[in-house]
Amino acid sequence: MWLLSKLRAVVGIAVQQLRHDRGRTVLAVIGICLAVLSMTLLGSVGLGVIETGEEKFDESGRDLWVTGGPVQLSPGSVGGFENTVYDAHPMAENISAREDVNTAVPLAFQTVYISANGSEFDTLIGTGAPARGGSVRITEGSGFSSRDTHYADGTYDGPMTHEVVISPQTAELYDVGVNDTLYIGGSIGGARNNEFRIVGVSPTFSRFLGTPTVVLHLSELQELTGQTANDKATMITVDVADDADVARVERDLQAAYPEYDVRTNREQLQATLERQAVLLAAGGSLVVLAAIAGIALTTNLLLSLVYQQRRILAALRAQGATASTLVGVVGTQAILLSLAGGLLGAALTVPAIRVLNVVAETVVGFENVVSVQPRILLAGIAVALVIGIGGALVAGWRVSRLSPLEELS
């Protein structure tokens, strides 16, 4: 009972002191709130990128990815990208022939010139892929009417279909739809001579790449961008049979093609993220700096409160209040400030994430990259309390060293 009364008195004094100087209290809460908000947003972005990446790979319907290294720019070349998988068609056919593989599909990405009227050209990402089958979702039209006929066993003498499947963003950008035409080529001159008929609209590849796309048969994209000499592609995606062991197929393919990297969905995502190590390190550093800044801010605030209230605290001590009571008052202030800042920061995280998603969609084209993670919000509140406890320990030490006679003299 005595302990409860003392606790009630300590809390009452702490609250009254915070209410006495509301301006300082509000500023302290805002400071802690900003520290928590920066940590929760950075944490949500990190987790959101990983989750979005995993979703995109899962949506692809593929199990393994065969690549010749990271996709790199090739300045001055037609297409602008350096594709590192050679003899892509026969290699994909050999992999598809395995009993434990359903399909192996070579894909290529290149920059192409595109125009709706043949006079004004823009550059978009062209994808060489089969826009038909279960792994590609067609929302309008019917997709490609036939298989890739231009390759013709490596001669590239077969007829070109001149069919293209576009993303919804491309359709909106050029105000075109199914059965309209687009001029597409690896150069402006080439584009003027190659008119493609739009046979379908598909969001599949644009959602994966995060940008407007046009999808052509692989051999036709290779023809337009000068990639036929070595049958170049960006990667080969592999769909493993349902009853097959993905890990075993991965090992077998890696042994058969040691010059290439064979990865699962998760390994491919990790390889992609590893190439962004500098960016990830910068984000992690910002989280740590935000926590340190929060601790420094709260500690400085509490020390300032102790200094400004030193006469009041000294008077209370002279009237018989114990040192533990005064430490309790200061500690309670720290906990209340941190809790308020943590809760406010967690609450503001939700609308801030919505704003971030709008910005991310505008800049990189991906929707809902950042999601609200309850564990991140709880972690932010927990960090705020840790900040408050750290500040309370320092302030309590300062209070314990107060000398009533010296302060009141």
Side-chain angles (χ1 to χ4, degrees):
M1 196 66 185
W2 170 82
L3 183 60
L4 184 60
S5 299
K6 182 177 180 179
L7 180 61
R8 188 182 302 158
V10 167
V11 173
I13 295 172
V15 171
Q16 286 301 322
Q17 287 183 329
L18 291 177
R19 294 177 60 184
H20 178 70
D21 197 340
R22 297 182 180 179
R24 184 187 296 111
T25 301
V26 170
L27 289 175
V29 170
I30 291 176
I32 297 171
C33 166
L34 292 177
V36 171
L37 187 60
S38 61
M39 287 184 286
T40 54
L41 286 181
L42 287 169
S44 298
V45 169
L47 285 179
V49 169
I50 293 175
E51 290 185 350
T52 301
E54 290 179 342
E55 289 176 359
K56 299 299 180 187
F57 278 103
D58 291 340
E59 288 175 359
S60 70
R62 301 295 168 174
D63 299 303
L64 297 174
W65 304 75
V66 183
T67 64
V71 179
Q72 296 180 336
L73 294 176
S74 179
S77 65
V78 177
F81 285 89
E82 182 179 356
N83 289 326
T84 52
V85 175
Y86 295 86
D87 298 323
H89 282 93
M91 182 175 170
E93 291 174 0
N94 289 336
I95 295 175
S96 294
R98 293 173 57 97
E99 293 182 354
D100 49 11
V101 171
N102 287 332
T103 58
V105 178
L107 301 178
F109 303 117
Q110 289 288 350
T111 302
V112 294
Y113 289 90
I114 183 169
S115 171
N117 53 26
S119 59
E120 297 179 355
F121 290 86
D122 302 310
T123 55
L124 293 183
I125 297 296
T127 303
R132 52 184 291 174
S135 61
V136 179
R137 187 164 71 92
I138 303 294
T139 55
E140 296 180 37
S142 58
F144 291 153
S145 60
S146 66
R147 292 184 176 275
D148 189 351
T149 55
H150 182 57
Y151 175 69
D153 295 328
T155 63
Y156 291 92
D157 290 334
M160 292 181 63
T161 64
H162 283 95
E163 293 179 340
V164 60
V165 172
I166 63 176
S167 66
Q169 298 94 324
T170 304
E172 182 179 355
L173 186 63
Y174 293 100
D175 191 23
V176 293
V178 175
N179 291 324
D180 289 334
T181 58
L182 290 173
Y183 295 89
I184 303 174
S187 63
I188 292 179
R192 287 198 176 101
N193 297 323
N194 285 285
E195 189 173 348
F196 283 75
R197 183 172 67 90
I198 300 172
V199 295
V201 177
S202 170
T204 299
F205 291 100
S206 62
R207 292 182 65 183
F208 189 77
L209 297 171
T211 184
T213 60
V214 293
V215 185
L216 313 176
H217 281 299
L218 174 60
S219 67
E220 297 183 24
L221 180 65
Q222 290 173 323
E223 184 71 49
L224 295 178
T225 56
Q227 304 288 311
T228 59
N230 297 307
D231 189 10
K232 294 180 179 178
T234 307
M235 63 183 68
I236 295 176
T237 62
V238 180
D239 180 20
V240 176
D242 294 339
D243 57 350
D245 184 349
V246 175
R248 183 178 56 78
V249 177
E250 179 189 12
R251 289 194 299 271
D252 292 346
L253 290 179
Q254 187 63 78
Y257 302 99
E259 67 274 29
Y260 295 111
D261 295 319
V262 183
R263 301 188 179 100
T264 62
N265 288 344
R266 176 170 287 275
E267 290 169 344
Q268 184 65 18
L269 175 61
Q270 290 173 345
T272 303
L273 294 177
E274 285 173 358
R275 290 194 287 273
Q276 306 298 327
V278 175
L279 184 61
L280 294 176
S285 300
L286 288 176
V287 172
V288 174
L289 288 176
I292 294 175
I295 293 173
L297 174 68
T298 308
T299 303
N300 182 61
L301 168 74
L302 293 173
L303 289 176
S304 174
L305 285 175
V306 170
Y307 179 77
Q308 293 186 356
Q309 297 172 2
R310 64 190 186 282
R311 289 181 178 277
I312 298 175
L313 294 172
L316 290 173
R317 183 72 183 275
Q319 291 174 4
T322 63
S324 62
T325 299
L326 301 184
V327 171
V329 170
V330 176
T332 301
Q333 289 179 339
I335 298 299
L336 292 176
L337 289 172
S338 301
L339 186 61
L343 291 174
L344 183 60
L348 290 178
T349 299
V350 178
I353 283 178
R354 293 175 181 168
V355 174
L356 276 179
N357 278 327
V358 172
V359 174
E361 184 177 355
T362 303
V363 175
V364 299
F366 288 119
E367 298 178 358
N368 301 320
V369 172
V370 189
S371 59
V372 178
Q373 300 282 341
R375 51 181 169 168
I376 293 291
L377 301 183
L378 291 175
I381 296 173
V383 170
L385 289 175
V386 170
I387 290 173
I389 293 172
L393 292 174
V394 176
W397 169 79
R398 184 68 183 88
V399 169
S400 66
R401 294 174 63 86
L402 279 177
S403 172
L405 291 177
E406 182 179 339
E407 297 297 337
L408 296 175
S409 63

